């Protein structure tokens, strides 16, 4: 039987089918036979595009942590931290859209699959006047904060402002109960403020070091 003139599948359709399976039934449900069945092809056809399942998972991680994350339309300048706030929010939204796939980021970290994008962000920092000796601290910290916070949010039930810390007993944990009552932020807002505090703190410490060494 002759091969079809147009391939039945592509790398993009394999990633899309894989995400559909993961979203519906979780990571454990993903297998080459299941992907092939989803696409209406035989499993060996997948090897024309991917060497193994691990490469498919890497492509899925690249998609949700890269292709799905919109770049903020903000020009370099003194208010550069807001670029990272928006980038972090975009990342958060992309991951929470595929909660079941979130654990992939532990094995396929964005820096491992998105080196080119990190170069672009480093250029944004440089154009914004951020000293180059701070770039690694900022990029590493942003990845750690974003993945840590979003992973925690992805694996637990959606929370409200008062249930960010679940199962708090007002009798045995009165201080935490009081703190939750005084908290004005929901999970998304806490995430924003976490990023702002981190970035502005780096710049304050850097400026203090300059003053103290003068």
């Amino acid at each position: 039987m002759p091969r079809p003139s147009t391939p039945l599948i592509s790398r993009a359709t394999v990633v899309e089918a894989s995400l559909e399976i993961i979203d519906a039934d979780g990571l454990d449900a993903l297998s080459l036979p299941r992907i092939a069945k989803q696409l209406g092809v035989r499993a060996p056809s997948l090897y024309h595009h991917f060497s193994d399942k691990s490469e498919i998972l890497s492509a899925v991680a690249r998609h949700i942590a890269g292709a799905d994350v919109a770049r903020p339309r903000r020009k370099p300048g003194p208010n550069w931290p807001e670029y990272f706030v928006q980038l972090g929010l975009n990342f958060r939204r992309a991951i929470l859209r595929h909660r079941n796939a979130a654990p992939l980021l532990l094995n396929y970290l964005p820096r491992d699959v998105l080196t080119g994008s990190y170069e672009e962000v480093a250029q944004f920092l440089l154009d914004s006047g951020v000293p180059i000796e701070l770039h690694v601290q900022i990029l590493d910290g942003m990845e750690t904060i974003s993945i840590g916070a979003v992973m925690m949010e992805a694996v637990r039930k959606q929370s409200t402002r008062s249930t960010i810390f679940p199962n708090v007993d007002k009798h045995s944990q009165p201080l935490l109960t009081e703190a939750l009552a005084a908290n004005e932020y929901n999970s998304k807002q806490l995430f924003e403020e976490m990023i702002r505090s981190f970035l502005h703190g780096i710049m304050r410490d850097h400026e203090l070091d300059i003053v103290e060494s003068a």
Side-chain angles (χ1 to χ4, degrees):
M1 184 176 179
R3 290 186 177 182
S5 57
T6 301
L8 295 176
I9 62 174
S10 65
R11 287 182 66 91
T13 57
V14 173
V15 169
E16 183 180 343
S18 299
L19 263 178
E20 289 174 358
I21 294 169
I22 295 170
D23 287 343
D25 300 315
L27 276 169
D28 290 341
L30 191 71
S31 66
L32 297 184
R34 177 73 185 274
I35 297 169
K37 182 179 179 181
Q38 185 93 350
L39 292 168
V41 299
R42 297 177 61 190
S45 299
L46 300 174
Y47 290 109
H48 291 295
H49 304 280
F50 296 94
S51 59
D52 53 26
K53 180 181 173 181
S54 179
E55 190 179 350
I56 294 175
L57 292 175
S58 177
V60 171
R62 181 188 299 272
H63 181 78
I64 61 174
D68 265 9
V69 180
R71 290 283 174 186
R73 295 183 177 179
R74 183 179 290 274
K75 294 182 179 180
N79 203 25
W80 61 268
E82 291 306 305
Y83 172 92
F84 286 91
V85 171
Q86 188 58 56
L87 185 61
L89 289 173
N90 293 349
F91 176 81
R92 174 183 177 272
R93 182 167 54 251
I95 302 307
L96 294 184
R97 191 183 298 133
H98 303 288
R99 287 174 178 264
N100 289 343
L104 287 177
L105 299 182
L106 296 178
N107 293 319
Y108 304 97
L109 293 176
R111 72 174 60 177
D112 295 330
V113 298
L114 299 170
T115 306
S117 297
Y118 276 70
E119 179 72 11
E120 294 174 14
V121 177
Q123 184 65 57
F124 177 87
L125 286 170
L126 192 64
D127 293 343
S128 296
V130 179
I132 198 165
E133 62 267 28
L134 300 180
H135 289 193
V136 169
Q137 185 179 355
I138 290 170
L139 295 175
D140 182 76
M142 278 297 304
E143 181 182 284
T144 302
I145 289 171
S146 298
I147 292 179
V150 177
M151 277 291 297
M152 286 181 61
E153 192 173 354
V155 300
R156 68 190 184 197
K157 294 181 179 179
Q158 294 186 5
S159 62
T160 63
R161 182 175 60 84
S162 60
T163 62
I164 289 172
F165 285 88
N167 306 318
V168 173
D169 181 79
K170 65 180 180 181
H171 300 294
S172 60
Q173 293 134 354
L175 294 179
L176 187 52
T177 299
E178 186 177 353
L180 284 170
N183 170 52
E184 298 179 351
Y185 300 124
N186 58 30
S187 294
K188 177 183 175 184
Q189 292 166 332
L190 281 172
F191 180 62
E192 291 183 58
E193 292 307 311
M194 191 187 311
I195 293 174
R196 288 193 181 99
S197 297
F198 167 67
L199 295 174
H200 287 291
I202 286 177
M203 292 308 297
R204 279 195 298 269
D205 288 348
H206 179 70
E207 291 165 1
L208 283 173
D209 288 343
I210 293 175
V211 171
E212 290 175 359
S213 62

